[in-house]
Amino acid sequence: RKAHQKLVDEQGLNDSHMDTIVELLGKTLKELGVADADITEAAAIANSVRDEVLCRDPKPKSLYERLGGAPAVDAAVDQFYEKVLADKRVNFFFKNTDMRKQRR
């Protein structure tokens, strides 16, 4: 990964470049008479290391994680409900709603 980091940081290695590499790999294998199914498999293998080569976290954080998990989501929900209940355009929809139960 360290070897690729310099390419990413200093030379701008990105997805377009990876696409080109995978394309050229496929063309080379085709010229060598490799079966299409095997070319597809080779491309899939090359693509499976894309995030590693581009120095990205292979599994991006979920929205829940990016927001800060349960405490942040709970706070956002509370603040959102306060706004909804204070807004005359929509608060009447919730006049018979037990908001404590709704928050669970």
Side-chain angles (χ1 to χ4, degrees), residues 23-36 39:
E23 175 189 331
L24 295 172
L25 173 63
K27 286 181 178 182
T28 301
L29 295 175
K30 186 74 168 174
E31 290 171 6
L32 294 171
V34 174
D36 287 343
I39 293 171

Side-chain angles (χ1 to χ4, degrees), residues 37-50:
D38 293 334
I39 293 171
T40 299
E41 187 174 342
I45 292 168
N47 278 314
S48 74
V49 297
R50 179 181 292 255

Side-chain angles (χ1 to χ4, degrees), residues 8-84:
V8 171
D9 293 344
E10 296 177 13
Q11 296 182 33
L13 180 65
N14 62 36
D15 282 298
S16 294
H17 301 114
M18 285 295 297
D19 292 341
T20 300
I21 295 298
V22 173
E23 175 189 331
L24 295 172
L25 173 63
K27 286 181 178 182
T28 301
L29 295 175
K30 186 74 168 174
E31 290 171 6
L32 294 171
V34 174
D36 287 343
D38 293 334
I39 293 171
T40 299
E41 187 174 342
I45 292 168
N47 278 314
S48 74
V49 297
R50 179 181 292 255
D51 286 333
E52 183 69 22
V53 170
L54 295 176
C55 304
R56 296 190 295 224
D57 184 2
K59 184 180 176 219
K61 289 184 179 182
S62 68
L63 175 59
Y64 179 80
E65 292 169 319
R66 292 191 315 266
L67 289 175
V73 171
D74 289 345
V77 168
D78 288 344
Q79 192 170 343
F80 170 69
Y81 282 162
E82 287 176 17
K83 290 182 184 318
V84 167

Side-chain angles (χ1 to χ4, degrees), residues 77-78 81 85 97-104:
V77 168
D78 288 344
Y81 282 162
L85 294 175
T97 302
D98 182 342
M99 294 310 284
R100 284 176 293 170
K101 283 186 180 179
Q102 187 71 21
R103 283 185 169 97
R104 289 187 219 158

